[in-house]
């Protein structure tokens, strides 16, 4: 079955065409600068990457260009659109409504719309992508795969904020968590690699990318995660602050004469390792600057690792133990230095890295030493494949 996986942002659209039987990527790419000018990046399996500057005023034109590229007689991956059996859409926020992926109909679209105020930057863009695909591929089944769904198993004590209860009742203010597709994929893959039943393991997944979150997976279910109502809570990230005392918002707003929206912008876009280092939000730049003696870049790295380690410790407590700790996403898969800095804090749990294995990058691998009590793994995440699997699963 050929599944087109679509991840639609406000001005971008990432796509992959995946054969869900062989799990091969047939073609992939992205549309950037939608509504500004437009650029299509397209690459068929085994082919060269093609970059075309082309006008795409709306997402509908972007999807049209993707479909045209997929059936292009020279470089296309398929002969006709009839070879696309289904579309899997990444949808960021499913609220409390969606605990699993679901086939899209008008009712689902309305339910996604109804929780859009919880993710005003993401859900509207996801919906535009869905509408554009419906328009251009009428009759093709489509699935919504939610970032929040995997975390809907969290118990009340983990997802509630200690605020007046009526905010939950009236507005559903609570922790939702994100990166669920990745946490689910990686924790399952870890069980496979370890040859243990998924339902028997206590796993902590550290998804460390530009956005970063941690998840405690007990017996195959998410029981806690570091992101909250929005993806701002929790770890120090590329440009997001993660946890701060909420009083800081009021204090800074007053001192800098900022309104709430401006303060939120600072927390989302000008903070994290970027805000601390003043160098970059990219961990490679931070590492380079720290190596050259930049003290603030070094501090940013140290703060990032310290926060991750504290969360791992708290989730080991929440699960009354931990069998496996997984590192994934851009930083987690590539930076042995960051993994090592984090794991040093965790020796008390029985974590011990195999130095040679930890030098590797971007492969499925156990990186703890053979005598370590807690297994540490590097597991490259693959959210597109997980979305394709979910979509194919719904159609079976
Ligand atoms: P993601 O959001 O998962 O795509 O991850 C993006 C982040 O991964 C960026 O901050 C990159 O700097 C970081 N990254 C990618 N490769 C490396 C590397 N070799 N070492 C450190 N960080 C990396």
């Amino acid at each position: 079955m050929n599944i087109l996986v679509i991840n639609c942002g406000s001005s971008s659209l990432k796509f992959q065409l995946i054969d869900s039987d062989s799990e091969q990527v047939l073609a992939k790419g992205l549309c950037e600068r939608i509504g500004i000018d437009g650029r299509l990046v397209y690459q068929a399996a085994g082919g060269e990457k093609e970059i075309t500057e082309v006008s795409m005023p709306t997402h509908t034109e972007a999807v049209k260009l993707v479909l045209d590229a997929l059936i292009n007689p020279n470089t296309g991956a398929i002969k006709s659109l009839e070879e696309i059996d289904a579309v899997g859409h990444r949808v960021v926020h499913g609220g409390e409504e969606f605990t699993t992926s679901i086939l899209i109909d008008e009712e689902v679209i309305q339910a996604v719309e109804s929780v859009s105020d919880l993710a005003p930057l993401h859900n509207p863009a996801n919906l535009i992508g869905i509408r554009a695909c419906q328009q251009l591929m009428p009759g093709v089944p489509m699935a919504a795969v939610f970032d929040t769904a995997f975390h809907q198993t969290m118990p009340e004590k983990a997802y509630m904020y200690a605020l007046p209860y009526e905010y939950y009742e009236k507005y559903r203010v609570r922790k939702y968590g994100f990166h669920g597709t990745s946490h689910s994929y990686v924790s399952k893959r870890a069980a496979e690699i370890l040859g243990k039943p998924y339902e028997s393991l206590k796993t902590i997944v550290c998804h460390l990318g530009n956005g970063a979150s941690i998840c405690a997976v007990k017996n195959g279910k998410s029981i806690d995660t570091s992101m909250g109502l929005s993806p701002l809570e929790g770890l120090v990230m590329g440009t997001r602050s993660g946890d701060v005392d909420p009083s800081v918002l009021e204090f800074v707003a007053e001192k800098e004469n900022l309104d709430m929206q401006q303060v939120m912008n600072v927390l989302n876009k000008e903070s994290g390792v970027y805000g601390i280092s003043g160098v970059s939000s990219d961990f490679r730049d931070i590492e380079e600057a720290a190596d050259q003696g930049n003290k603030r870049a070094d501090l940013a790295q140290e703060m990032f690792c310290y926060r991750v380690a504290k969360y791992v410790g708290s989730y080991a407590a929440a699960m009354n133990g931990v069998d496996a700790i997984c590192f994934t996403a851009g930083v987690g898969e590539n930076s042995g230095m960051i993994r090592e800095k984090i794991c040093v804090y965790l020796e008390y749990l029985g974590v011990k890295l195999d130095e040679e294995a930890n030098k590797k990058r971007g492969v499925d691998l156990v990186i703890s030493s053979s005598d370590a009590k807690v297994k540490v793994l590097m597991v490259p995440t693959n959210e597109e494949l997980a979305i394709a699997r979910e979509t194919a699963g719904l159609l079976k």
Side-chain angles (χ1 to χ4, degrees):
M1 205 182 278
N2 290 337
I3 314 274
L4 178 60
V5 175
I6 299 272
N7 181 354
C8 211
S10 55
S11 67
S12 70
L13 183 156
K14 291 190 206 136
F15 66 93
Q16 281 195 10
L17 183 67
I18 296 176
D19 174 349
S20 63
D21 301 318
S22 65
E23 303 205 327
Q24 295 301 308
V25 177
L26 306 177
K28 63 179 178 181
L30 79 154
C31 297
E32 292 175 296
R33 301 174 60 85
I34 302 170
I36 307 165
D37 37 29
R39 177 189 300 147
L40 170 70
V41 182
Y42 173 84
Q43 187 173 25
E48 296 282 307
K49 194 186 267 186
E50 300 164 23
I51 301 176
T52 322
E53 309 287 336
V54 50
S55 158
M56 41 183 93
T58 70
H59 287 75
T60 309
E61 281 93 5
V63 174
K64 177 90 177 55
L65 287 161
V66 170
L67 298 179
D68 287 347
L70 288 171
I71 56 168
N72 179 300
N74 299 321
T75 53
I78 48 176
K79 290 204 175 62
S80 89
L81 293 184
E82 273 151 41
E83 290 177 49
I84 299 177
D85 297 295
V87 183
H89 291 271
R90 175 190 182 209
V91 179
V92 168
H93 218 306
E96 288 187 322
E97 192 87 25
F98 298 106
T99 56
T100 56
S101 308
I102 192 162
L103 285 175
I104 297 173
D105 59 16
E106 208 42 47
E107 213 174 304
V108 169
I109 290 185
Q110 269 162 32
V112 172
E113 247 158 26
S114 73
V115 294
S116 278
D117 59 345
L118 292 170
L121 296 178
H122 294 100
N123 274 26
N126 302 152
L127 283 165
I128 290 172
I130 291 171
R131 292 270 190 223
C133 288
Q134 281 181 328
Q135 199 182 322
L136 295 165
M137 286 180 275
V140 175
M142 307 210 182
V145 180
F146 301 94
D147 274 26
T148 50
F150 181 60
H151 302 300
Q152 279 296 309
T153 47
M154 283 190 287
E156 243 178 337
K157 64 183 175 189
Y159 72 67
M160 287 300 291
Y161 293 121
L163 294 169
Y165 193 79
E166 66 196 70
Y167 296 158
Y168 172 66
E169 291 177 309
K170 284 203 278 190
Y171 314 119
R172 291 289 175 253
V173 172
R174 51 162 283 181
K175 180 188 278 285
Y176 289 94
F178 297 86
H179 292 142
T181 311
S182 175
H183 288 302
S184 162
Y185 174 88
V186 169
S187 54
K188 279 189 195 125
R189 186 78 197 102
E192 279 170 20
I193 296 166
L194 294 172
K196 296 263 169 66
Y198 187 41
E199 292 73 23
S200 74
L201 286 175
K202 296 172 182 173
T203 307
I204 297 174
V205 180
C206 307
H207 178 112
L208 310 179
N210 194 27
S213 74
I214 302 210
C215 180
V217 186
K218 189 177 183 186
N219 308 331
K221 294 199 164 84
S222 167
I223 62 131
D224 208 343
T225 191
S226 57
M227 283 178 170
L229 174 81
S230 80
L232 181 55
E233 191 182 345
L235 301 178
V236 175
M237 307 182 213
T239 61
R240 284 174 239 161
S241 63
D243 299 334
V244 288
D245 179 347
S247 308
V248 170
L249 279 71
E250 189 204 17
F251 188 84
V252 170
E254 209 161 288
K255 294 281 180 202
E256 294 270 312
N257 196 20
L258 302 176
D259 63 23
M260 189 54 111
Q261 209 181 345
Q262 289 170 315
V263 178
M264 292 313 292
N265 198 49
V266 171
L267 261 57
N268 273 302
K269 302 210 168 122
E270 294 173 31
S271 302
V273 290
Y274 168 72
I276 292 292
S277 68
V279 170
S280 167
S281 62
D282 191 306
F283 281 76
R284 284 166 291 201
D285 301 337
I286 306 257
E287 189 174 336
E288 199 184 315
D291 286 348
Q292 286 166 2
N294 183 318
K295 290 228 159 41
R296 276 171 50 188
D298 184 59
L299 174 63
Q301 261 177 197
E302 293 299 328
M303 287 171 68
F304 177 83
C305 296
Y306 179 64
R307 181 84 54 92
V308 173
K310 285 206 297 185
Y311 264 96
V312 172
S314 68
Y315 289 166
M319 295 194 289
N320 197 5
V322 53
D323 301 308
I325 298 169
C326 307
F327 288 99
T328 193
V331 183
E333 290 165 26
N334 288 302
S335 177
M337 179 273 297
I338 295 277
R339 291 191 296 259
E340 190 185 342
K341 273 186 190 289
I342 294 166
C343 286
V344 165
Y345 287 106
L346 305 171
E347 280 168 5
Y348 79 101
L349 283 172
V351 166
K352 208 159 120 196
L353 282 183
D354 175 326
E355 265 182 50
E356 280 309 307
N358 190 43
K359 284 183 187 153
K360 302 254 166 57
R361 291 166 48 170
V363 285
D364 284 331
L365 195 66
V366 176
I367 55 172
S368 47
S369 62
S370 53
D371 59 337
K373 199 169 136 234
V374 175
K375 302 282 176 224
V376 182
L377 297 92
M378 159 167 53
V379 182
T381 192
N382 193 337
E383 286 164 290
E384 291 78 14
L385 177 59
I387 292 172
R389 281 181 185 168
E390 287 280 321
T391 306
L394 286 169
L395 290 170
K396 275 189 183 135

